[in-house]
Each structure stands twice: as structure tokens, then as C-alpha cells.
Amino acid sequence: MKKLWFVLVIGMLVFLQCSGSKTTLSVTSLKEEPQVSVQKEMQYESFWEALENLDFDYVSTQQATLQQHRFTDALKMVVSGNFDAAINDFRALYHTSNDSLVRVHSRTILDNLLVFQSKWDELSALPNESDDTLNSETSLAAIYRQYPAEQYDFPAQPEELPLELSISGSPVIPVQINGHKRKFWLDTGAGLTCIASDVAEECGVYSEEAGDITAQTATSKRVAIQPAVIKSVQIGKINIENHPAIILNKRDLEFKLLGFIRILKVDGIIGWNAIQNMDVKIDYKNRMVTLRKPVKMNRSVRNLFWLGYPIVRVSSQDGLPLYFGLDTGANLTGLHDNILKKIDVKDAQEVNSTVGSAGGFERIKTLKIPKLTLMLNRYSLQYENLVSHPQTGAEFIKLDGTFGSDLAATGSLRIDSVNGRFEVEYPEDH
């Protein structure tokens, strides 16, 4: 199954438990966002590696074909939030390019953008690329396109909801699924809203026959999924009708110690396909979530975009652009191998970590980075003992790390996908 738009729908429900010191974060507030120049010149092995790192300045200095230039321009549109134009260009490249890499990468990104905009008809119309992809008649897109279009009904005023934290530190909010009260995780790392099989049955959410579909989790494990459309999801006074979702076996949303002591049961997850349509503030300090209808603004600077995963642009202390995934379902911020080419890792130590996700836990070897400073908006984030783990979720782009809920554990974060805005706020006494 190579259609990664549904293979990687489950976010990083991750617990990192490494030997040695615990990951910590200290924050310094700056009077204004720093204006720094890049002091390090990156070198890449290929044109494509530079694009995977979104280094458009480097790419502009390299020889490239007309089709590669068109691909680069379309990728810039994704980062700047011009999704309709990007879809048109990637579709044209996919159908007409005689460069196999341009064609393959264009199809990957095209699939993801069509999912992002819930264009199920257009996605279903695309041809299968190999024998191991699902037939379009039984794909998720073919299921979702049979239902009326998803609808959002917002109240006039922002909706405030009480926030609970799971034992992993992930935000949990009250919802109603077809009128049944439940508590779901608010998880930016989950591409689609998920619901446990037992909760789905209790709430009258029925799966559709779509063949054998599995999804990659944050570990090496894969879990079976079933497509479904939830008639009504109520989050406070916000009502979502005909909401695409997936059903997972309840066992895959349980976390157990020693294989039999259940420490956590997840009823369901509000995923990115809902979060992207709302202006969300998660106030961890005051235990409150505020949701409102997003208002389109003309923003010259966007630091949040989506390509298989919500991605935040930050920078290193010396001004080097870095790209971090955003996963409120993860308890800790972590690094990915790609950043090791950009930062000094001479003091890195190999450690053992336990990583948990849908489907259970597994033990992996990782690197622990003693110190790393990141610049985000007007804050300097000083991390100690960050741990690396495999990248999941993002398509085409190589992430440098993933922010977990610990980023704002003593403050709040704001997610406004419509305007490409991601902000953190910390109390003055942080």
C-alpha cells in the first residue's frame, strides 16, 4: 500500500523513556523576534536533498531542468499556503513530466494536498500507480466521496472548553459523538480523527467495507484501520457534520505495561482534519482550550504549513532554518536524524528508549543530544537531553524534529492553519 496519505494517518502517540537525564526545556523571552543571518552554509548531495530540506536559496544556485524549476515553484506555493495553485501545478507535472523523480514526487505531494483539502472526488480519479495500492473503488477516498460534504457550524463567540491532560501530557477535551459524551485527545499528529472500535459501536459510528487497510504508527508497527464518516461531532457548541474518520481496534488504543497492566485507554482522537479547520488555542497552564472560526488574513510571514504532517519553521541559534513537526499527542519534543547534519553532535550519546504508539511499545536505540537552542517567534528555547527518534508522518520533506506537548506545558500554544500561524506564549515568570 503505497498511498501514504492513508498509510500515515496515525500520529505520534509517543512516550520516550530513555536512560540518563530527562529532557528539559527552559525559555528566554526576547523583546522582539530575532533578526539573524545564517552563519552556516549547508551542502547537499543532490538537488532533491536540498528541496527535501526546503533550502530554496541553495536550490536557486544549482543547475536544474525546467520541470525541476516548476516543481520547486509548486513546493514554494505549499509553504506559502497557496494550495489550489500548488495542486494544479503538481497535477500537471504528474501527468506530463518525463522526469521520473519529478513525476513520483509530484504524485506524492498531490495526494497529500488533495487529502488536506478533502477533495475526495479528485483523489479517487487519479490512477493507481502499482499493483499493491488499493483499487480506487475501495480506497478511503472512494468511501468518503459517497457522503455529503463535511460541514462546520461555529457559534458567534469563541468556544472555551476544560482541558485535561493524559498521563502522557497530551490534551484531552470533552466531545459528543452522535450525541454521546466522550473524551478525545486533541492530537495534531493524527492525520484523521480516530475512534476506538468499542466507542464507535456505542456511539453509532459504523465502518465501511474498504478491503484490508493498515496504517503506519509512530513505531515500526502497523495497525488495521476501517474508514467511517461520523454524522455529528460536537466540540462544545461547534458542530461538525459528516466528518471523515477511521476506526481502530480498541486494543490498538490501549497501552499496557508488561503486556497486561493497562495504563492508558484512548477513546478517540480529534485529528488534524478537524484541527486544521479551526483556530485553536491550547492553554496548558490554565487547563483551557479555546476554539474559534478562523478568519482569513493577509500574512506575509507564515511559520506553519501542512504536508502529510503539520510543520513549523523555527531556526537554530545561528539562524539556520529548521523544520519541526507538531504533535500534541506526543509527550516530549524529539529530534530526527536529519538535524544531525546541521548541528554539532560531538557530545551525543547513544541510549535506549521506549517508544509507544497505537499498537503498543517497542525498544529502540537513539541518540541523546545534551544541548540545543531553538528560536521560535520571540522566544529562545533551550533544550537539554533531547532524544532522537525515527521520522514519521511528513511526506517528501525531511523533518529536523517534532515538537511534543512539553513545548507549552507551562504556557499555551496557538494553531491557526488557515493563516499559517503557530505561536507559543509563556507566563512572564516562566
Side-chain angles (χ1 to χ4, degrees):
M1 300 179 189
K2 294 183 179 179
K3 286 190 175 181
L4 298 183
W5 59 269
F6 65 78
V7 173
L8 294 175
V9 292
I10 298 176
M12 295 180 61
L13 315 178
V14 177
F15 309 93
L16 293 176
Q17 300 170 335
C18 61
S19 57
S21 302
K22 182 180 178 181
T23 299
T24 61
L25 169 64
S26 58
V27 178
T28 301
S29 178
L30 309 174
K31 291 184 178 180
E32 58 184 20
E33 292 191 30
Q35 302 295 322
V36 293
S37 59
V38 178
Q39 300 175 15
K40 179 178 181 180
E41 290 188 9
M42 291 296 301
Q43 296 296 320
Y44 303 96
E45 295 182 1
S46 69
F47 166 88
W48 290 108
E49 185 184 8
L51 271 190
E52 289 168 341
N53 283 275
L54 297 178
D55 195 335
F56 298 123
D57 291 337
Y58 180 91
V59 168
S60 67
T61 67
Q62 306 301 301
Q63 289 187 339
T65 66
L66 177 61
Q67 292 179 359
Q68 289 174 334
H69 279 302
R70 288 183 62 193
F71 184 97
T72 302
D73 289 341
L75 189 57
K76 289 180 181 178
M77 293 176 190
V78 175
V79 177
S80 65
N82 192 356
F83 301 112
D84 288 336
I87 286 173
N88 289 336
D89 282 6
F90 282 123
R91 180 187 287 111
L93 285 169
Y94 167 66
H95 285 298
T96 64
S97 179
N98 56 12
D99 182 324
S100 61
L101 282 178
V102 168
R103 190 173 188 275
V104 168
H105 292 319
S106 293
R107 175 59 190 268
T108 296
I109 296 176
L110 178 59
D111 281 358
N112 276 268
L113 293 179
L114 292 176
V115 170
F116 179 69
Q117 296 203 328
S118 299
K119 294 186 175 182
W120 309 117
D121 285 339
E122 295 182 38
L123 188 55
S124 296
L126 292 174
N128 289 329
E129 282 295 293
S130 66
D131 292 339
D132 62 354
T133 58
L134 290 174
N135 184 279
S136 61
E137 293 299 316
T138 57
S139 69
L140 296 184
I143 295 297
Y144 295 145
R145 69 189 292 267
Q146 298 174 19
Y147 285 82
E150 185 179 25
Q151 298 290 332
Y152 284 74
D153 183 19
F154 288 90
Q157 300 299 319
E159 186 69 12
E160 293 187 343
L161 300 170
L163 168 66
E164 297 180 15
L165 297 180
S166 71
I167 62 170
S168 69
S170 302
V172 181
I173 59 173
V175 301
Q176 290 191 57
I177 305 298
N178 293 338
H180 297 265
K181 294 181 179 180
R182 290 294 185 274
K183 292 183 179 180
F184 276 30
W185 286 27
L186 192 63
D187 185 0
T188 59
L192 291 174
T193 290
C194 308
I195 183 169
S197 55
D198 57 336
V199 176
E201 183 176 358
E202 294 167 3
C203 296
V205 178
Y206 304 104
S207 63
E208 298 284 354
E209 182 58 42
D212 296 327
I213 309 178
T214 62
Q216 182 68 54
T217 70
T219 67
S220 63
K221 300 178 184 295
R222 303 183 70 86
V223 295
I225 65 174
Q226 297 174 303
V229 173
I230 304 175
K231 184 177 181 180
S232 172
V233 178
Q234 287 184 281
I235 309 175
K237 296 179 181 178
I238 299 171
N239 188 51
I240 310 172
E241 295 182 358
N242 303 312
H243 184 54
I246 57 173
I247 299 174
L248 287 83
N249 190 300
K250 63 179 182 180
R251 293 190 300 272
D252 290 324
L253 288 176
E254 294 178 346
F255 297 88
K256 297 180 179 181
L257 289 177
L258 306 176
F260 63 91
I261 303 174
R262 191 172 81 177
I263 60 173
L264 178 63
K265 166 69 163 66
V266 181
D267 286 343
I269 298 166
I270 298 297
W272 185 254
N273 62 323
I275 296 170
Q276 69 178 6
N277 295 307
M278 299 181 284
D279 183 343
V280 180
K281 180 179 180 180
I282 306 176
D283 189 338
Y284 292 83
K285 179 177 175 59
N286 297 305
R287 298 292 193 269
M288 185 71 65
V289 171
T290 304
L291 307 172
R292 70 192 81 207
K293 183 177 181 179
V295 178
K296 184 69 174 178
M297 298 180 292
N298 291 323
R299 286 175 56 85
S300 58
V301 178
R302 299 170 64 98
N303 68 339
L304 173 68
F305 66 97
W306 189 92
L307 194 53
Y309 211 67
I311 300 171
V312 177
R313 175 176 168 144
V314 295
S315 67
S316 65
Q317 198 169 14
D318 58 4
L320 188 69
L322 301 172
Y323 294 91
F324 273 57
L326 176 62
D327 187 358
T328 57
N331 62 329
L332 292 177
T333 294
L335 302 179
H336 303 313
D337 290 346
N338 192 58
I339 201 173
L340 304 181
K341 303 174 184 178
K342 304 177 180 180
I343 63 173
D344 184 359
V345 294
K346 63 182 180 181
D347 295 326
Q349 305 172 19
E350 188 174 272
V351 297
N352 293 316
S353 298
T354 299
V355 183
S357 182
F361 293 95
E362 68 180 15
R363 195 78 167 165
I364 61 174
K365 287 188 177 298
T366 62
L367 286 179
K368 183 174 67 175
I369 312 300
K371 293 182 183 298
L372 178 66
T373 297
L374 301 174
M375 313 304 292
L376 174 58
N377 303 136
R378 56 185 180 85
Y379 292 103
S380 172
L381 311 177
Q382 297 105 38
Y383 283 98
E384 292 188 3
N385 300 314
L386 278 173
V387 177
S388 68
H389 54 75
Q391 173 178 321
T392 60
E395 286 302 321
F396 182 74
I397 293 172
K398 289 185 176 179
L399 296 178
D400 297 301
T402 297
F403 285 124
S405 281
D406 62 325
L407 172 65
T410 60
S412 66
L413 57 82
R414 179 94 174 261
I415 305 164
D416 179 4
S417 176
V418 169
N419 292 296
R421 176 173 61 174
F422 178 75
E423 298 174 349
V424 291
E425 291 288 342
Y426 301 96
E428 293 183 1
D429 59 349
H430 181 88

